[in-house]
Amino acid sequence: ISIIMENDYRVGDIVNIGGFCGKVSEIGIRTTKVEDIDGNVKIFYNSGVNGVINMTSRLSSVRMDIKLDAKHSFDHVEKEFKKFFERVSNKYPQIKGDCNYLGVQETTPSFNVFRIVIPCNEIDRAPLRRALTKEFSEFCKEEDITKL
């Protein structure tokens, strides 16, 4: 009853309970049912539920570490990311705010790894990541950027 009264999560929320992540499908007096992305349903006894992470209560994000040929200057890459962000911000309504270029994560003589973060709702995170990965590959081909 305290789970229902305290409103820590509701049916439809994406939660992580004890390492099991999924969508709350049912909240009863004694149990809560959570369904993962593969359709597996785990039943939790409400009396034992603690340490719940409700990933629906705040925005999540798609974090992408992108490996590019070192021949591209940092300034050039930053300008290209801005173009990419404009392109995807207009195309994907799942993006909830400004796309961010966080900078260089790793540098070697042959490649550099750049990090971008794109805000979204948790329920959209996995499909949006797949769409953005494909979109960035197409963008690289169009802009003659060597992605590794």
Side-chain angles (χ1 to χ4, degrees):
I1 295 178
S2 66
I3 287 174
I4 297 168
M5 299 297 290
E6 292 183 17
N7 206 22
D8 290 334
Y9 54 85
R10 295 176 281 195
V11 171
D13 284 358
I14 307 293
V15 297
N16 183 317
I17 302 174
F20 189 85
C21 186
K23 184 189 278 190
V24 177
S25 59
E26 188 179 314
I27 301 172
I29 293 174
R30 293 182 48 230
T31 62
T32 294
K33 294 180 182 177
V34 179
E35 183 175 346
D36 71 9
I37 195 166
D38 296 321
N40 300 309
V41 176
K42 186 161 184 175
I43 301 169
F44 295 91
Y45 287 97
N46 293 339
S47 61
V49 172
N50 58 31
V52 175
I53 300 170
N54 186 337
M55 297 180 297
T56 308
S57 60
R58 291 192 177 145
L59 283 178
S60 291
S61 61
V62 171
R63 182 180 78 189
M64 298 173 70
D65 288 340
I66 298 169
K67 190 177 185 179
L68 300 176
D69 193 304
K71 72 180 181 181
H72 304 294
S73 74
F74 295 151
D75 289 339
H76 175 71
V77 169
E78 190 169 346
K79 287 177 188 168
E80 293 298 323
F81 278 134
K82 287 179 183 177
K83 286 172 33 180
F84 177 70
F85 292 159
E86 286 177 25
R87 173 177 170 160
V88 297
S89 292
N90 295 325
K91 187 172 181 178
Y92 295 95
Q94 302 93 326
I95 296 174
K96 303 296 181 192
D98 294 333
C99 302
N100 296 293
Y101 165 64
L102 297 185
V104 181
Q105 297 301 303
E106 183 181 351
T107 183
T108 73
S110 58
F111 68 85
N112 296 308
V113 178
F114 302 88
R115 179 167 291 169
I116 62 174
V117 176
I118 300 172
C120 62
N121 290 320
E122 176 63 25
I123 197 158
D124 296 325
R125 190 167 58 89
L128 183 60
R129 179 180 178 74
R130 289 189 293 273
L132 291 173
T133 298
K134 179 183 176 197
E135 191 80 36
F136 191 73
S137 290
E138 292 170 358
F139 178 80
C140 286
K141 288 176 188 170
E142 293 166 14
E143 299 295 325
D144 198 29
I145 298 170
T146 309
K147 185 174 182 277
L148 304 176

